[in-house]
Protein backbone atom coordinates (compact mmCIF):
# COMPACT_ATOMS: atom_id res chain seq x y z
CA UNK A 1 0.00 0.00 0.00
CA UNK A 2 1.22 3.47 -0.87
CA UNK A 3 -0.33 6.82 -0.05
CA UNK A 4 0.42 9.77 -2.31
CA UNK A 5 -0.02 13.25 -0.88
CA UNK A 6 -1.34 16.25 -2.82
CA UNK A 7 2.21 17.65 -2.89
CA UNK A 8 3.23 14.77 -5.17
CA UNK A 9 0.49 15.46 -7.75
CA UNK A 10 1.43 17.11 -11.03
CA UNK A 11 -0.43 20.17 -12.38
CA UNK A 12 -0.37 20.42 -16.17
CA UNK A 13 -2.22 21.95 -19.14
CA UNK A 14 -4.86 19.92 -20.97
CA UNK A 15 -3.64 18.19 -24.12
CA UNK A 16 -5.72 20.63 -26.21
CA UNK A 17 -4.55 23.68 -24.24
CA UNK A 18 -8.07 24.57 -23.07
CA UNK A 19 -7.53 24.25 -19.32
CA UNK A 20 -5.54 22.62 -16.55
CA UNK A 21 -5.62 19.28 -14.77
CA UNK A 22 -4.06 17.80 -11.67
CA UNK A 23 -2.61 14.38 -12.41
CA UNK A 24 -2.99 12.15 -9.36
CA UNK A 25 -1.46 9.02 -10.87
CA UNK A 26 0.15 7.87 -14.11
CA UNK A 27 1.38 4.39 -14.94
CA UNK A 28 3.58 4.41 -18.06
CA UNK A 29 2.53 2.13 -20.91
CA UNK A 30 4.94 -0.83 -21.13
CA UNK A 31 5.15 -0.76 -24.96
CA UNK A 32 4.82 2.96 -25.74
CA UNK A 33 7.37 5.12 -24.00
CA UNK A 34 5.48 8.44 -24.17
CA UNK A 35 2.02 7.02 -23.40
CA UNK A 36 0.24 5.95 -20.24
CA UNK A 37 -1.44 2.64 -19.39
CA UNK A 38 -3.48 4.25 -16.60
CA UNK A 39 -4.05 7.86 -15.67
CA UNK A 40 -6.24 9.35 -12.93
CA UNK A 41 -6.68 13.11 -12.70
CA UNK A 42 -8.86 15.94 -11.44
CA UNK A 43 -9.82 18.73 -13.85
CA UNK A 44 -10.98 22.24 -13.06
CA UNK A 45 -13.41 23.16 -15.83
CA UNK A 46 -14.16 26.90 -16.00
CA UNK A 47 -15.84 27.02 -19.43
CA UNK A 48 -17.23 24.77 -22.13
CA UNK A 49 -15.36 23.73 -25.26
CA UNK A 50 -13.82 20.73 -27.01
CA UNK A 51 -12.35 17.77 -25.16
CA UNK A 52 -8.79 16.61 -25.80
CA UNK A 53 -8.33 13.57 -28.06
CA UNK A 54 -6.71 10.43 -26.63
CA UNK A 55 -6.49 7.75 -29.34
CA UNK A 56 -6.72 4.16 -28.06
CA UNK A 57 -7.90 5.28 -24.60
CA UNK A 58 -11.14 4.50 -22.78
CA UNK A 59 -12.29 7.32 -20.49
CA UNK A 60 -14.59 7.57 -17.50
CA UNK A 61 -15.56 10.94 -16.11
CA UNK A 62 -17.27 11.67 -12.78
CA UNK A 63 -18.65 14.91 -11.37
CA UNK A 64 -16.96 15.96 -8.12
CA UNK A 65 -18.41 19.44 -7.64
CA UNK A 66 -20.52 21.93 -9.56
CA UNK A 67 -23.78 22.00 -11.48
CA UNK A 68 -22.52 19.72 -14.19
CA UNK A 69 -22.04 19.53 -17.95
CA UNK A 70 -23.55 18.16 -21.10
CA UNK A 71 -21.27 16.37 -23.55
CA UNK A 72 -22.19 16.30 -27.26
CA UNK A 73 -20.38 13.41 -28.94
CA UNK A 74 -19.53 13.32 -32.66
CA UNK A 75 -21.66 10.16 -33.06
CA UNK A 76 -24.80 12.12 -32.02
CA UNK A 77 -25.02 10.92 -28.41
CA UNK A 78 -25.44 13.37 -25.54
CA UNK A 79 -24.14 12.53 -22.08
CA UNK A 80 -25.16 14.60 -19.06
CA UNK A 81 -23.36 14.83 -15.73
CA UNK A 82 -25.57 16.84 -13.38
CA UNK A 83 -25.33 15.10 -10.00
CA UNK A 84 -22.27 14.50 -7.79
CA UNK A 85 -21.15 10.92 -8.22
CA UNK A 86 -22.49 10.45 -11.73
CA UNK A 87 -20.03 8.77 -14.11
CA UNK A 88 -20.08 8.61 -17.92
CA UNK A 89 -17.85 6.55 -20.22
CA UNK A 90 -16.62 7.22 -23.76
CA UNK A 91 -13.66 6.60 -26.05
CA UNK A 92 -10.80 9.07 -26.06
CA UNK A 93 -10.72 9.48 -29.83
CA UNK A 94 -14.32 10.61 -30.31
CA UNK A 95 -14.93 14.32 -30.84
CA UNK A 96 -16.67 15.89 -27.85
CA UNK A 97 -18.02 19.37 -27.16
CA UNK A 98 -18.71 20.30 -23.53
CA UNK A 99 -21.38 22.74 -22.37
CA UNK A 100 -21.44 23.72 -18.69
CA UNK A 101 -24.86 23.60 -17.03
CA UNK A 102 -23.91 26.32 -14.54
CA UNK A 103 -20.61 27.72 -13.36
CA UNK A 104 -17.20 26.12 -13.03
CA UNK A 105 -16.93 22.50 -11.93
CA UNK A 106 -14.43 19.83 -10.95
CA UNK A 107 -14.39 16.32 -12.39
CA UNK A 108 -12.48 13.10 -11.87
CA UNK A 109 -11.01 11.33 -14.91
CA UNK A 110 -9.95 7.71 -15.24
CA UNK A 111 -8.19 6.92 -18.51
CA UNK A 112 -7.02 3.48 -19.58
CA UNK A 113 -5.08 2.41 -22.65
CA UNK A 114 -7.51 0.04 -24.37
CA UNK A 115 -4.74 -2.43 -25.26
CA UNK A 116 -3.56 -2.59 -21.64
CA UNK A 117 -6.53 -2.87 -19.30
CA UNK A 118 -10.10 -2.21 -18.18
CA UNK A 119 -11.46 -0.40 -15.17
CA UNK A 120 -14.34 1.20 -13.36
CA UNK A 121 -14.71 4.53 -11.59
CA UNK A 122 -17.23 5.11 -8.80
CA UNK A 123 -17.92 7.56 -5.97
CA UNK A 124 -17.86 6.29 -2.38
CA UNK A 125 -19.75 8.22 0.31
CA UNK A 126 -19.89 5.97 3.38
CA UNK A 127 -21.84 6.94 6.49
CA UNK A 128 -19.77 8.12 9.46
CA UNK A 129 -18.12 5.16 11.15
CA UNK A 130 -18.74 2.76 8.27
CA UNK A 131 -16.03 0.34 7.27
CA UNK A 132 -15.02 0.36 3.60
CA UNK A 133 -13.55 -2.85 2.21
CA UNK A 134 -11.35 -2.49 -0.86
CA UNK A 135 -10.97 -5.90 -2.50
CA UNK A 136 -7.72 -6.90 -4.17
CA UNK A 137 -7.32 -6.09 -7.88
CA UNK A 138 -4.37 -5.48 -10.18
CA UNK A 139 -4.56 -1.80 -9.27
CA UNK A 140 -6.88 0.07 -6.88
CA UNK A 141 -6.77 3.86 -6.66
CA UNK A 142 -8.82 5.79 -4.08
CA UNK A 143 -8.83 9.58 -4.27
CA UNK A 144 -9.70 10.91 -0.80
CA UNK A 145 -11.77 13.91 -1.89
CA UNK A 146 -12.94 14.96 1.58
CA UNK A 147 -13.66 13.82 5.12
CA UNK A 148 -11.56 11.61 7.33
CA UNK A 149 -10.21 8.27 6.12
CA UNK A 150 -8.28 5.87 8.37
CA UNK A 151 -6.40 2.65 7.77
CA UNK A 152 -5.32 0.56 10.74
CA UNK A 153 -5.86 3.51 13.07
CA UNK A 154 -3.71 5.86 11.00
CA UNK A 155 -5.22 8.92 9.32
CA UNK A 156 -4.77 9.16 5.56
CA UNK A 157 -3.91 12.60 4.14
CA UNK A 158 -6.77 14.87 3.17
CA UNK A 159 -6.96 15.04 -0.63
CA UNK A 160 -4.46 12.21 -1.00
CA UNK A 161 -4.50 9.06 -3.14
CA UNK A 162 -4.37 5.52 -1.78
CA UNK A 163 -2.68 3.05 -4.17
CA UNK A 164 -3.00 -0.72 -3.82
CA UNK A 165 -1.54 -3.42 -6.06
CA UNK A 166 -2.95 -6.93 -5.62
CA UNK A 167 -3.87 -6.36 -1.99
CA UNK A 168 -7.04 -5.75 -0.03
CA UNK A 169 -7.53 -3.28 2.80
CA UNK A 170 -10.21 -2.15 5.25
CA UNK A 171 -10.71 1.57 5.84
CA UNK A 172 -12.93 3.53 8.19
CA UNK A 173 -14.52 6.80 7.18
CA UNK A 174 -16.07 9.73 9.03
CA UNK A 175 -16.65 13.47 8.77
CA UNK A 176 -18.71 13.29 5.58
CA UNK A 177 -16.07 11.26 3.75
CA UNK A 178 -16.21 11.12 -0.04
CA UNK A 179 -13.75 9.22 -2.19
CA UNK A 180 -13.38 8.21 -5.84
CA UNK A 181 -12.51 4.57 -6.39
CA UNK A 182 -10.88 3.24 -9.56
CA UNK A 183 -10.52 -0.53 -9.87
CA UNK A 184 -8.24 -1.54 -12.73
CA UNK A 185 -7.56 -4.95 -14.28
CA UNK A 186 -4.75 -5.64 -16.73
CA UNK A 187 -5.62 -7.57 -19.86
CA UNK A 188 -4.16 -11.08 -20.02
CA UNK A 189 -0.77 -11.22 -21.72
Amino acid sequence: MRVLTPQSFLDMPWANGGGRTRELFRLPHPQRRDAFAVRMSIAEVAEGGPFSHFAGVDRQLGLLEGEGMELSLADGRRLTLDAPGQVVAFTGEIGIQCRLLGGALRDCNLMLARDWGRGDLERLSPADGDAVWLAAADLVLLYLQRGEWNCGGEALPDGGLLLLENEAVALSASGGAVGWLAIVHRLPA
Side-chain angles (χ1 to χ4, degrees):
M1 179 176 87
R2 289 190 304 164
V3 179
L4 306 176
T5 65
Q7 293 76 23
S8 68
F9 301 155
L10 182 61
D11 289 321
M12 63 181 60
W14 290 350
N16 70 5
R20 296 199 61 79
T21 194
R22 174 166 265 210
E23 187 175 83
L24 308 177
F25 178 79
R26 173 189 285 260
L27 178 67
H29 195 287
Q31 281 85 40
R32 293 190 303 280
R33 189 170 170 223
D34 295 332
F36 57 81
V38 180
R39 181 177 182 229
M40 188 173 187
S41 61
I42 302 296
E44 305 276 344
V45 184
E47 58 187 41
F51 268 38
S52 301
H53 288 262
F54 290 94
V57 171
D58 288 328
R59 296 184 66 177
Q60 293 181 48
L61 184 70
L63 182 62
L64 273 74
E65 299 168 351
E67 293 179 45
M69 67 177 105
E70 180 182 74
L71 306 179
S72 298
L73 283 67
D75 63 6
R77 288 182 295 149
R78 290 190 189 283
L79 303 174
T80 302
L81 282 170
D82 59 3
Q86 244 180 330
V87 176
V88 295
F90 49 89
T91 62
E93 51 271 306
I94 194 164
I96 297 178
Q97 282 290 325
C98 168
R99 180 180 66 85
L100 299 186
L101 300 177
L105 61 84
R106 288 181 357 127
D107 61 40
C108 183
N109 294 273
L110 175 64
M111 294 187 267
L112 294 157
R114 199 171 299 126
D115 64 350
W116 185 87
R118 302 287 180 266
D120 288 301
L121 179 67
E122 70 174 297
R123 180 181 190 252
L124 301 180
S125 55
D128 283 358
D130 274 2
V132 177
W133 175 254
L134 301 179
D138 291 330
L139 185 63
V140 174
L141 304 166
L142 178 62
Y143 169 58
L144 310 167
Q145 182 183 352
R146 67 173 178 254
E148 298 171 18
W149 295 86
N150 289 278
C151 182
E154 290 189 40
L156 300 176
D158 188 39
L161 183 77
L162 177 67
L163 169 64
L164 303 168
E165 293 184 76
N166 298 306
E167 62 183 308
V169 70
L171 306 174
S172 61
S174 60
V178 173
W180 285 82
L181 176 65
I183 299 174
V184 176
H185 301 281
R186 290 180 177 96
L187 294 175

